[in-house]
Amino acid sequence: MSKAVIDTSKCVGHGQCAMMAPDVFDLDAGGYAQTIAPELTGDQRRDAETAAMACPEQAIRVED
Ligand code: SF4
């Protein structure tokens, strides 16, 4: 099963991930990314990979 992982030491809160993959990422009260999907469906995995490529801080990775 795939999952999205955020390196919180790199995330600076741009929010692109939450816009590109709203079923996978959300922003917490401080404006930093958090995952909201513990296991990714096929569509969510595709969206998470797109978000990972778009993250300016390279803070997202998708694991199997
Ligand atoms: S796009 Fe990257 S830096 Fe921006 S909120 Fe998402 S994980 Fe954090």
Side-chain angles (χ1 to χ4, degrees):
M1 201 54 82
S2 302
K3 65 176 181 177
V5 179
I6 299 169
D7 183 340
T8 55
S9 71
K10 293 182 179 177
C11 176
V12 296
H14 298 290
Q16 280 94 326
C17 55
M19 286 189 289
M20 303 187 89
D23 292 339
V24 180
F25 303 105
D26 196 3
L27 301 182
D28 65 18
Y32 295 97
Q34 58 187 359
T35 56
I36 55 174
E39 295 180 349
L40 303 180
T41 64
D43 285 350
Q44 288 174 330
R45 183 189 171 104
R46 185 196 62 223
D47 290 348
E49 288 176 340
T50 300
M53 287 189 285
C55 173
E57 308 303 325
Q58 300 183 326
I60 299 169
R61 67 179 189 277
V62 178
E63 296 182 344
D64 290 313

